Amino acid sequence: MEDISNSNSIFRYNDEFLRWFQSRFLHKKFYLIIMSFIGFIILYIILFSSNQSILSNTLDTKLFFAPPQRSVILNNDPSKIMRNKAQGPPTCLIIIRSADGALGNRMFLFASAYGVARLHQCQLYVAPWILIDLRSVFRINIEDTQVQLTKDDSLVINRTDYYSRYSACTLYDDLFHIPFNKTFQRYEMNGFYQAYGYFEKYREEINFLFQFNQGAIKRNIELVEQLLKVVWNISLNLGNYTKENVTHEYLKSKLINPPSSLEPMTWVGIHIRRGDFLTFFKIDTSVEYLSWSMNYYRRKYVNTRFLIASDDKKYVQTHFGNFSDVFVTPSGFFSGEDMAALALCEHTIVTAGTYGWWAAWLAGGDVVHDLNYPVPFQNCVKEHYFPPWFLFPHNSSSLKWQPAVPKR
């Protein structure tokens, strides 16, 4: 009996020791797992912060990962959803903060800056006054695109570490090289950058940005009502829209797609630029060019109707006021309303200037353009300024530009 009791005591001792050893071992194992996990997190944070620091220090600025942005469907086509799939933070900055001229010039500069920023995944800085000016006509919903707009003035004010280059209408090849030239990590666009190649790749996104706002649309509602009444004797049906939210696209559809029981018309917008172009550029587009272009469309399309916008309404009334197929935008329209009216059309005739160029771009369709612009002293390459679908007469109709003769 004594040997058995001693044996049981040994077994109990061994069993208790085993349980103690297992509890201690499991405790240490759990402790080691927790410590390893904490160490892994610390190492990851160190490596990630170092990596981001290297990327951001290439600019020595406050550049961060682009925030999640809403997906936007272009032209109501689900297959064309703009999603931001970029990896890493922007490592370059495109700057525009000066812009000469009027609306068309600013549209070119903004579109070109957007195109370069989009191509190289750069941040975009646009001077607030330029955005305000553009948004007086267009929506410019850049927050719904893949380009990150920065409002941080400290990135550009009182700094000299940027590369500034002027362009009238030059398409610089080196802005399309990859990797992006380190010299251009902070690139300021000075001048006009009137070359469509900078943004042609992103045409749908440019059209999305240049959607007309309600301010430019509002008085065009009345214009469309009048055109429908005169041409077809019908009223404008806004459908599910109101005058406060109707879109430019909807108004355009009412003009180019009347009810099937009515005869369709072909709408052609005409922009006649005079004003300062008569003196500064020595451009005076001939009536013969305009008449020739109008006859070109009359022969090409059925039931052509023309809608003319100009900075010289008296000139238009004098030369084209008696044509039954010609309509003129109201004299009270401002530049944004005139452009919205021209973009309601299917095709375009342009005399000169970037304003007419953009009216044609936004309208789509065929474009007939006089050969009087750009003028020689601008040193523009025709293929850089004009898209290939622009059509031209055989020669310019305007007074040819010649350098001023020095006074003796």
Side-chain angles (χ1 to χ4, degrees):
M1 290 292 292
E2 185 178 345
D3 292 335
I4 293 175
S5 64
N6 289 337
S7 178
N8 288 338
S9 298
I10 293 172
F11 284 137
R12 282 196 303 272
Y13 175 79
N14 289 338
D15 187 50
E16 290 173 356
F17 177 77
L18 181 61
R19 285 197 299 271
W20 175 85
F21 178 78
Q22 288 176 336
S23 65
R24 295 292 294 175
F25 178 77
L26 291 174
H27 178 73
K28 288 182 178 180
K29 185 177 181 181
F30 179 75
Y31 177 77
L32 288 173
I33 291 173
I34 293 298
M35 292 303 294
S36 298
F37 180 74
I38 293 173
F40 174 77
I41 294 297
I42 294 173
L43 181 63
Y44 176 80
I45 292 173
I46 292 173
L47 291 176
F48 179 79
S49 299
S50 175
N51 186 48
Q52 181 159 342
S53 175
I54 291 171
L55 287 171
S56 61
N57 284 340
T58 60
L59 275 179
D60 188 27
T61 63
K62 302 173 183 176
L63 297 183
F64 305 101
F65 282 99
Q69 296 172 315
R70 297 191 298 275
S71 298
V72 176
I73 300 178
L74 296 178
N75 298 328
N76 296 317
D77 185 351
S79 68
K80 297 176 181 178
I81 298 178
M82 292 165 47
R83 288 197 181 98
N84 194 346
K85 299 181 180 179
Q87 296 189 75
T91 57
C92 49
L93 178 67
I94 305 299
I95 304 166
I96 54 172
R97 49 182 171 172
S98 62
D100 294 328
L103 182 61
N105 289 350
R106 281 191 266 284
M107 292 174 70
F108 254 116
L109 186 61
F110 176 81
S112 295
Y114 177 92
V116 175
R118 175 80 163 82
L119 181 65
H120 295 291
Q121 195 188 332
C122 301
Q123 274 192 321
L124 176 61
Y125 177 87
V126 181
W129 74 268
I130 297 177
L131 276 178
I132 291 172
D133 183 68
L134 289 172
R135 282 175 171 156
S136 69
V137 179
F138 307 105
R139 296 181 185 176
I140 313 291
N141 291 332
I142 196 169
E143 65 277 2
D144 292 330
T145 70
Q146 296 185 34
V147 171
Q148 183 181 345
L149 179 71
T150 178
K151 298 179 181 179
D152 188 354
D153 293 333
S154 67
L155 297 178
V156 295
I157 295 177
N158 297 325
R159 299 189 67 134
T160 58
D161 55 339
Y162 59 85
Y163 183 86
S164 180
R165 183 160 56 169
Y166 175 89
S167 167
C169 40
T170 301
L171 187 69
Y172 291 118
D173 289 340
D174 53 9
L175 290 179
F176 296 90
H177 294 173
I178 53 172
F180 202 32
N181 191 323
K182 291 183 178 180
T183 304
F184 303 154
Q185 293 300 298
R186 290 175 168 276
Y187 187 90
E188 181 174 18
M189 291 182 164
N190 272 324
F192 305 94
Y193 281 79
Q194 294 169 9
Y196 76 95
Y198 289 118
F199 52 84
E200 183 190 22
K201 176 179 172 64
Y202 307 109
R203 177 169 186 170
E204 290 182 320
E205 295 175 36
I206 295 299
N207 289 349
F208 168 78
L209 289 166
F210 288 149
Q211 292 181 93
F212 293 99
N213 62 26
Q214 295 308 124
I217 292 173
K218 190 173 182 179
R219 290 208 288 177
N220 272 284
I221 300 173
E222 183 178 349
L223 175 63
V224 172
E225 287 176 331
Q226 293 174 354
L227 294 174
L228 293 178
K229 196 69 175 176
V230 171
V231 175
W232 291 293
N233 194 29
I234 60 175
S235 300
L236 173 61
N237 179 9
L238 291 178
N240 294 326
Y241 292 104
T242 67
K243 289 187 176 182
E244 284 68 40
N245 64 10
V246 65
T247 66
H248 185 270
E249 292 76 12
Y250 183 84
L251 293 178
K252 183 168 184 170
S253 71
K254 296 287 109 177
L255 281 180
I256 66 177
N257 295 312
S260 57
S261 60
L262 299 175
E263 194 172 20
M265 302 291 167
T266 303
W267 292 92
V268 179
I270 304 177
H271 181 249
I272 302 175
R273 179 68 180 268
R274 289 173 62 78
D276 60 327
F277 272 43
L278 296 175
T279 54
F280 184 77
F281 286 119
K282 304 294 190 294
I283 291 176
D284 183 11
T285 297
S286 67
V287 175
E288 289 74 20
Y289 159 75
L290 293 166
S291 299
W292 181 92
S293 301
M294 293 166 73
N295 287 331
Y296 168 82
Y297 281 115
R298 289 186 181 111
R299 291 190 299 267
K300 186 172 184 179
Y301 296 111
V302 299
N303 302 321
T304 306
R305 296 293 183 271
F306 300 95
L307 180 61
I308 301 180
S310 175
D311 57 355
D312 190 344
K313 293 290 199 301
K314 184 178 179 180
Y315 173 90
V316 174
Q317 291 292 346
T318 299
H319 295 287
F320 302 101
N322 295 326
F323 288 86
S324 60
D325 58 354
V326 171
F327 303 91
V328 183
T329 61
S331 57
F333 270 23
F334 79 98
S335 60
E337 292 169 326
D338 264 343
M339 184 174 285
L342 292 172
L344 289 170
C345 300
E346 300 165 81
H347 311 288
T348 313
I349 297 171
V350 183
T351 57
T354 56
Y355 182 96
W357 190 103
W358 276 106
W361 172 282
L362 295 176
D366 299 338
V367 183
V368 175
H369 198 293
D370 201 354
L371 280 174
N372 55 15
Y373 186 87
V375 295
F377 71 74
Q378 291 176 289
N379 295 318
C380 292
V381 177
K382 177 182 175 183
E383 290 74 20
H384 290 178
Y385 181 75
F386 293 112
W389 61 87
F390 277 46
L391 307 173
F392 306 93
H394 291 297
N395 48 43
S396 173
S397 72
S398 295
L399 300 172
K400 290 185 177 180
W401 177 85
Q402 293 180 351
V405 178
K407 293 183 180 181
R408 295 182 179 180

